[in-house]
Amino acid sequence: MPKPLKSPAPAAHRLIAVFEEEAESVVGLAAEAEFLRLKGFSGKAGSLIALPSKQGLIAWFGLGARRHYTPMRFRALPTQLPKGLWRLEADVGLDRAAIHAAWGFGAYAFTRYKAGKAVEAKLDDAELDAEARARVEIEIGAHKLARDLVNTPANDMGPAEIEAAARQLAKTHGADITVITGDDLLKENYPAVHAVGRAAGPNNAPRLIEMTWRSNPAQKDAPVIVLVGKGVAFDTGGLNLKPGASMGLMKKDMGGAAHALALGDWVMASNLPVQLHILIPAVENCVSGDAFRPGDVLASRAGVSIEIGNTDAEGRLILADALTRAGELNPALTVDFATLTGAARVALGPEVIPFYTEDEDLARRLEVASIARHDPLWRMPLWAGYKDALDSDIADIRNDPAGWAQAGSVTAALFLQRFAPTTGAWVHFDIYAWNPRSRPGHPVGAEAQALRAVYEVLKAY
């Protein structure tokens, strides 16, 4: 009996991406030239016109001025184009892998609780070789992991669920993982993590998660890289209770942990030649009879006493213990991610991420990587003149700076610097991890930030 004939694969639609400088000449040669002129297509950034042709659909997409080009413009297209497979026609000099990664970021949807409409506009990846396709898939997957974790509400993403996500990641990549939970944190000398999280119920007990991985277990001299992520699963503000409007987005206060896990996933899946450690203090900052109080003096792993002026400045407390642990690992580089201050948003808004480091070489690398990977970062100063805003009359340091200093993101970074490793370089990212407005390719909800730039730097270690 003859085998049934396979239906031919549907032809890809054409996607023609054009810079403003070349738009007039390129459009002039097209069969659709008159229509495009009537529609006023000029290659302006983000402009899009789709229309039928004899071979299927054809879409014209404006890239804007060449000097302002970023492949992230392609994030908008998965949700704007009609369904089907699209084949890109564009300047041969454009980084195709970066375009495909951007398309993947734009195709993201969080559908755990609500059946979402699947993005059906796909970009033909036949132009990429197998290695490039694998790299793009890993990059998209890391960003998806960060966004999924942040988007999940606290009733399904408490400290125990953050631990479960870390354990799954360790299992996937063959990493070792240890978790210290509850009162064992006191036995193992993580008193600040314990103090912040002890008011939560037993199912949300505080914990310190530590993951260790080597690309080659026999290679003992590979550089030690430590990723630290703030894992506050939900932040009520503690006894300095937040107003209701300020609590609405506090499920994202574990965004630092999500970013550390996502970057770790990217590093391990790419088999970078490093010794990787991921440290996540995971807590819920709750109100109960056992909650830590304003005026308390807390111990820390570093032996530095901390006066509590505000229980809503809790993220820096748990990071203090984690950064101290990082220093014990003799790292070449320590990177911490934290949704730490509203002051960072006042300074730079939700899309540009401030970073703090005293290592000039690392700062230059990050600035170059930020531009190369279209991942907006901005260096902020660890201004020594504000250090005495953290002075306490009864302890070594206070967790809320004196009001005269005003620069809340800077003083928070100065607090962390007191506990950061003194070996190797250290950098702190005060991330937002959220899109506050909806636009094509950027739905309201979780966003992965600084990952591409940091990964670019890690590749050179």
Side-chain angles (χ1 to χ4, degrees):
M1 185 174 179
K3 293 182 180 179
L5 294 174
K6 290 184 178 179
S7 299
H13 304 308
R14 296 174 63 200
L15 173 61
I16 303 174
V18 183
F19 286 105
E20 278 183 335
E21 295 88 337
E22 290 90 37
E24 185 174 349
S25 59
V26 172
V27 168
L29 298 174
E32 304 83 12
E34 187 61 26
F35 179 82
L36 292 171
R37 288 194 186 101
L38 290 172
K39 294 290 287 184
F41 181 78
S42 63
K44 180 182 176 182
S47 58
L48 179 66
I49 296 176
L51 60 155
S53 72
K54 292 180 180 179
Q55 290 76 36
L57 297 176
I58 183 170
W60 292 78
F61 181 53
L63 298 177
R66 189 178 285 273
R67 69 183 181 278
H68 297 312
Y69 167 73
T70 165
M72 293 302 117
R73 297 205 193 286
F74 286 88
R75 281 185 68 148
L77 293 180
T79 56
Q80 285 189 309
L81 287 172
K83 68 179 181 180
L85 184 66
W86 291 83
R87 184 183 69 251
L88 177 63
E89 299 175 20
D91 189 314
V92 294
L94 299 184
D95 183 342
R96 291 306 206 264
I99 291 171
H100 282 265
W103 192 286
F105 304 154
Y108 173 83
F110 184 64
T111 58
R112 176 168 176 172
Y113 302 99
K114 182 178 181 180
K117 184 179 180 182
V119 172
E120 297 182 85
K122 298 180 180 179
L123 186 60
D124 188 354
D125 64 2
E127 62 184 348
L128 301 180
D129 60 30
E131 183 180 350
R133 278 197 293 272
R135 289 199 309 269
V136 168
E137 184 178 344
I138 290 169
E139 183 174 350
I140 293 171
H143 284 67
K144 182 180 186 300
L145 175 61
R147 295 166 82 179
D148 280 351
L149 292 173
V150 173
N151 272 325
T152 304
N155 59 309
D156 286 328
M157 191 52 64
E161 287 77 19
I162 295 173
E163 176 187 334
R167 288 192 180 278
Q168 181 57 53
L169 196 64
K171 181 179 179 181
T172 297
H173 297 293
D176 296 324
I177 187 168
T178 59
V179 181
I180 304 167
T181 306
D183 289 344
D184 287 343
L185 289 164
L186 296 176
K187 298 176 185 177
E188 299 296 332
N189 194 24
Y190 292 97
V193 178
H194 181 270
V196 173
R198 70 191 183 206
N203 292 335
N204 289 321
R207 61 205 70 205
L208 190 286
I209 302 163
E210 181 169 348
M211 192 186 309
T212 304
W213 174 89
R214 284 191 183 96
S215 61
N216 181 355
Q219 189 177 4
K220 305 294 185 182
D221 59 348
V224 174
I225 306 295
V226 183
L227 307 179
V228 180
K230 172 188 168 185
V232 178
F234 193 84
D235 181 19
T236 65
L239 292 177
N240 291 112
L241 194 68
K242 291 179 183 289
S246 299
M247 257 193 262
L249 285 182
M250 283 302 99
K251 70 175 184 179
K252 79 173 185 67
D253 213 20
M254 43 67 67
H259 278 63
L261 290 173
L263 184 57
D265 180 43
W266 196 350
V267 168
M268 292 185 285
S270 303
N271 203 35
L272 293 191
V274 299
Q275 299 181 67
L276 180 70
H277 295 263
I278 302 174
L279 299 172
I280 296 174
V283 302
E284 183 172 5
N285 188 20
C286 285
V287 178
S288 81
D290 199 25
F292 73 117
R293 297 164 289 256
D296 285 356
V297 174
L298 303 185
S300 70
R301 185 175 183 85
V304 175
S305 59
I306 307 170
E307 181 186 6
I308 304 303
N310 190 326
T311 63
D312 196 20
E314 84 299 331
R316 65 199 69 185
L317 300 174
I318 63 174
L319 288 171
D321 276 358
L323 287 169
T324 302
R325 171 57 183 155
E328 296 163 7
L329 299 169
N330 194 30
L333 173 64
T334 302
V335 181
D336 81 66
F337 298 97
T339 51
L340 204 61
T341 69
R345 311 286 71 83
V346 173
L348 296 177
E351 297 173 19
V352 182
I353 302 306
F355 71 92
Y356 296 83
T357 183
E358 284 197 327
D359 189 288
E360 295 299 326
D361 178 62
L362 177 59
R364 297 289 87 76
R365 291 190 194 191
L366 284 167
E367 287 168 345
V368 170
S370 170
I371 295 169
R373 296 307 306 271
H374 310 279
D375 200 2
L377 306 177
W378 195 262
R379 188 185 186 186
M380 295 278 275
L382 285 161
W383 186 251
Y386 297 155
K387 282 186 178 180
D388 56 353
L390 297 169
D391 288 348
S392 166
D393 293 334
I394 62 171
D396 294 321
I397 196 170
R398 56 190 284 178
N399 79 324
D400 65 328
W404 64 261
Q406 300 183 61
S409 181
V410 177
T411 51
L414 289 169
F415 180 96
L416 296 182
Q417 186 184 33
R418 179 74 178 267
F419 301 89
T422 55
T423 60
W426 163 70
V427 59
H428 159 59
F429 291 90
D430 196 338
I431 63 173
Y432 192 48
W434 196 258
N435 284 319
R437 61 173 176 139
S438 184
R439 51 203 166 105
H442 301 78
V444 169
E447 185 56 274
Q449 298 172 318
L451 293 182
R452 295 189 303 281
V454 177
Y455 179 80
E456 193 70 17
V457 170
L458 292 185
K459 288 195 303 183
Y461 268 80

